[in-house]
Amino acid sequence: MPTAELKKQISIFLPVSDWRALRQEAARQQVPITELCRRWIVPEISKLPSPVTIKSSREMPAVQNTR
């Protein structure tokens, strides 16, 4: 049985006027604000380079102070 992909939540702060416009558009489309944002974000995410595996601090080379 395939495992569901883990998900993460993001939060952003908008001026109230922008939030109201977003809420109005979501209501017009009869979808939650979250779904409206997802529809707008997903096409842009697909344009980003593939994610790089983040190395743990033990695997990363030490950073030297050059001062």
Side-chain angles (χ1 to χ4, degrees):
M1 180 175 196
T3 317
E5 185 175 2
L6 294 177
K7 296 182 180 187
K8 297 295 283 183
Q9 179 178 339
I10 62 171
S11 297
I12 61 170
F13 291 90
L14 297 172
V16 173
S17 59
D18 290 349
W19 179 83
R20 286 184 178 138
L22 193 60
R23 181 180 66 171
Q24 184 176 359
E25 180 59 19
R28 188 186 72 75
Q29 293 188 30
Q30 298 181 339
V31 297
I33 292 175
T34 301
E35 177 59 26
L36 182 63
C37 292
R38 189 179 296 119
R39 289 177 183 179
W40 290 346
I41 292 171
V42 168
E44 297 302 316
I45 291 173
S46 66
K47 297 175 186 177
L48 297 174
S50 297
V52 177
T53 304
I54 299 173
K55 295 180 179 182
S56 72
S57 58
R58 290 180 302 192
E59 298 172 306
M60 295 178 72
V63 176
Q64 294 182 346
N65 189 345
T66 57
R67 290 186 192 190

